[in-house]
mmCIF file of all heavy atoms in Angstrom:
data_model
loop_
_atom_site.group_PDB
_atom_site.id
_atom_site.type_symbol
_atom_site.label_atom_id
_atom_site.label_comp_id
_atom_site.label_asym_id
_atom_site.label_seq_id
_atom_site.Cartn_x
_atom_site.Cartn_y
_atom_site.Cartn_z
ATOM 1 N N GLN P 64 96.972 68.809 63.213
ATOM 2 C CA GLN P 64 97.734 69.997 62.868
ATOM 3 C C GLN P 64 99.141 69.531 62.597
ATOM 4 O O GLN P 64 99.944 69.286 63.516
ATOM 5 C CB GLN P 64 97.711 71.017 64.017
ATOM 6 C CG GLN P 64 98.299 72.368 63.665
ATOM 7 C CD GLN P 64 98.130 73.396 64.777
ATOM 8 O OE1 GLN P 64 97.796 73.027 65.913
ATOM 9 N NE2 GLN P 64 98.339 74.652 64.459
ATOM 10 N N PRO P 65 99.510 69.383 61.298
ATOM 11 C CA PRO P 65 100.812 68.806 60.946
ATOM 12 C C PRO P 65 101.940 69.535 61.656
ATOM 13 O O PRO P 65 101.989 70.769 61.685
ATOM 14 C CB PRO P 65 100.890 69.022 59.424
ATOM 15 C CG PRO P 65 99.458 69.053 58.998
ATOM 16 C CD PRO P 65 98.718 69.717 60.110
ATOM 17 N N GLY P 66 102.841 68.767 62.215
ATOM 18 C CA GLY P 66 103.980 69.340 62.913
ATOM 19 C C GLY P 66 103.687 69.769 64.326
ATOM 20 O O GLY P 66 104.594 70.152 65.061
ATOM 21 N N VAL P 67 102.434 69.745 64.705
ATOM 22 C CA VAL P 67 102.067 70.175 66.057
ATOM 23 C C VAL P 67 101.464 69.027 66.854
ATOM 24 O O VAL P 67 101.920 68.686 67.933
ATOM 25 C CB VAL P 67 101.074 71.358 66.017
ATOM 26 C CG1 VAL P 67 100.670 71.769 67.430
ATOM 27 C CG2 VAL P 67 101.708 72.533 65.282
ATOM 28 N N GLY P 68 100.427 68.406 66.289
ATOM 29 C CA GLY P 68 99.839 67.298 67.018
ATOM 30 C C GLY P 68 98.484 66.896 66.478
ATOM 31 O O GLY P 68 97.961 67.503 65.541
ATOM 32 N N THR P 69 97.929 65.860 67.082
ATOM 33 C CA THR P 69 96.601 65.348 66.713
ATOM 34 C C THR P 69 95.759 65.252 67.974
ATOM 35 O O THR P 69 96.246 64.801 69.008
ATOM 36 C CB THR P 69 96.716 63.948 66.068
ATOM 37 O OG1 THR P 69 97.502 64.069 64.872
ATOM 38 C CG2 THR P 69 95.355 63.386 65.714
ATOM 39 N N TRP P 70 94.536 65.734 67.886
ATOM 40 C CA TRP P 70 93.618 65.637 69.025
ATOM 41 C C TRP P 70 92.411 64.824 68.625
ATOM 42 O O TRP P 70 91.847 65.020 67.534
ATOM 43 C CB TRP P 70 93.149 67.037 69.475
ATOM 44 C CG TRP P 70 94.253 67.886 69.967
ATOM 45 C CD1 TRP P 70 94.739 67.981 71.233
ATOM 46 C CD2 TRP P 70 95.039 68.829 69.195
ATOM 47 N NE1 TRP P 70 95.765 68.880 71.304
ATOM 48 C CE2 TRP P 70 95.979 69.411 70.062
ATOM 49 C CE3 TRP P 70 95.039 69.203 67.855
ATOM 50 C CZ2 TRP P 70 96.894 70.356 69.624
ATOM 51 C CZ3 TRP P 70 95.950 70.141 67.425
ATOM 52 C CH2 TRP P 70 96.865 70.712 68.309
ATOM 53 N N ARG P 71 92.027 63.901 69.486
ATOM 54 C CA ARG P 71 90.818 63.125 69.238
ATOM 55 C C ARG P 71 89.847 63.356 70.376
ATOM 56 O O ARG P 71 90.244 63.522 71.527
ATOM 57 C CB ARG P 71 91.135 61.630 69.163
ATOM 58 C CG ARG P 71 91.869 61.227 67.908
ATOM 59 C CD ARG P 71 91.925 59.718 67.746
ATOM 60 N NE ARG P 71 92.789 59.385 66.610
ATOM 61 C CZ ARG P 71 94.107 59.288 66.714
ATOM 62 N NH1 ARG P 71 94.687 59.469 67.870
ATOM 63 N NH2 ARG P 71 94.836 59.006 65.646
ATOM 64 N N ASP P 72 88.562 63.347 70.045
ATOM 65 C CA ASP P 72 87.546 63.540 71.074
ATOM 66 C C ASP P 72 86.264 62.872 70.606
ATOM 67 O O ASP P 72 85.927 62.905 69.414
ATOM 68 C CB ASP P 72 87.326 65.035 71.325
ATOM 69 C CG ASP P 72 86.849 65.311 72.738
ATOM 70 O OD1 ASP P 72 85.817 64.704 73.142
ATOM 71 O OD2 ASP P 72 87.489 66.092 73.444
ATOM 72 N N ARG P 73 85.539 62.296 71.541
ATOM 73 C CA ARG P 73 84.247 61.727 71.199
ATOM 74 C C ARG P 73 83.202 62.798 71.089
ATOM 75 O O ARG P 73 82.152 62.609 70.471
ATOM 76 C CB ARG P 73 83.800 60.718 72.278
ATOM 77 C CG ARG P 73 84.577 59.436 72.159
ATOM 78 C CD ARG P 73 84.216 58.379 73.150
ATOM 79 N NE ARG P 73 85.062 57.215 72.828
ATOM 80 C CZ ARG P 73 84.605 56.080 72.382
ATOM 81 N NH1 ARG P 73 83.339 55.905 72.190
ATOM 82 N NH2 ARG P 73 85.441 55.087 72.096
ATOM 83 N N ASP P 74 83.483 63.932 71.697
ATOM 84 C CA ASP P 74 82.537 65.046 71.702
ATOM 85 C C ASP P 74 82.910 66.007 70.568
ATOM 86 O O ASP P 74 83.927 66.694 70.626
ATOM 87 C CB ASP P 74 82.604 65.750 73.065
ATOM 88 C CG ASP P 74 81.632 66.925 73.155
ATOM 89 O OD1 ASP P 74 81.045 67.302 72.115
ATOM 90 O OD2 ASP P 74 81.476 67.454 74.272
ATOM 91 N N LEU P 75 82.073 66.053 69.551
ATOM 92 C CA LEU P 75 82.343 66.924 68.408
ATOM 93 C C LEU P 75 82.503 68.372 68.837
ATOM 94 O O LEU P 75 83.358 69.095 68.350
ATOM 95 C CB LEU P 75 81.203 66.815 67.382
ATOM 96 C CG LEU P 75 81.271 67.809 66.213
ATOM 97 C CD1 LEU P 75 82.506 67.568 65.375
ATOM 98 C CD2 LEU P 75 79.997 67.710 65.377
ATOM 99 N N TRP P 76 81.669 68.794 69.800
ATOM 100 C CA TRP P 76 81.670 70.212 70.169
ATOM 101 C C TRP P 76 82.923 70.583 70.937
ATOM 102 O O TRP P 76 83.415 71.696 70.811
ATOM 103 C CB TRP P 76 80.399 70.556 70.964
ATOM 104 C CG TRP P 76 79.215 70.027 70.206
ATOM 105 C CD1 TRP P 76 78.443 68.966 70.533
ATOM 106 C CD2 TRP P 76 78.778 70.484 68.936
ATOM 107 N NE1 TRP P 76 77.522 68.736 69.548
ATOM 108 C CE2 TRP P 76 77.692 69.662 68.563
ATOM 109 C CE3 TRP P 76 79.163 71.520 68.088
ATOM 110 C CZ2 TRP P 76 77.013 69.823 67.369
ATOM 111 C CZ3 TRP P 76 78.477 71.682 66.894
ATOM 112 C CH2 TRP P 76 77.425 70.849 66.547
ATOM 113 N N ALA P 77 83.449 69.639 71.706
ATOM 114 C CA ALA P 77 84.719 69.895 72.383
ATOM 115 C C ALA P 77 85.840 70.057 71.354
ATOM 116 O O ALA P 77 86.695 70.922 71.458
ATOM 117 C CB ALA P 77 85.038 68.774 73.349
ATOM 118 N N LEU P 78 85.793 69.204 70.340
ATOM 119 C CA LEU P 78 86.820 69.273 69.294
ATOM 120 C C LEU P 78 86.696 70.578 68.489
ATOM 121 O O LEU P 78 87.689 71.212 68.151
ATOM 122 C CB LEU P 78 86.728 68.074 68.350
ATOM 123 C CG LEU P 78 87.958 67.909 67.486
ATOM 124 C CD1 LEU P 78 89.093 67.266 68.281
ATOM 125 C CD2 LEU P 78 87.668 67.061 66.256
ATOM 126 N N LEU P 79 85.460 70.964 68.199
ATOM 127 C CA LEU P 79 85.270 72.215 67.443
ATOM 128 C C LEU P 79 85.706 73.420 68.271
ATOM 129 O O LEU P 79 86.200 74.409 67.723
ATOM 130 C CB LEU P 79 83.819 72.356 67.006
ATOM 131 C CG LEU P 79 83.384 71.382 65.907
ATOM 132 C CD1 LEU P 79 81.908 71.577 65.597
ATOM 133 C CD2 LEU P 79 84.222 71.585 64.664
ATOM 134 N N SER P 80 85.502 73.322 69.569
ATOM 135 C CA SER P 80 85.957 74.406 70.437
ATOM 136 C C SER P 80 87.477 74.537 70.344
ATOM 137 O O SER P 80 88.012 75.641 70.260
ATOM 138 C CB SER P 80 85.516 74.111 71.883
ATOM 139 O OG SER P 80 85.896 75.159 72.718
#
Side-chain angles (χ1 to χ4, degrees):
Chain P
Q64 189 174 14
V67 179
T69 299
W70 296 272
R71 289 191 187 84
D72 207 305
R73 285 182 179 245
D74 181 350
L75 172 64
W76 310 108
L78 195 78
L79 289 178
S80 182

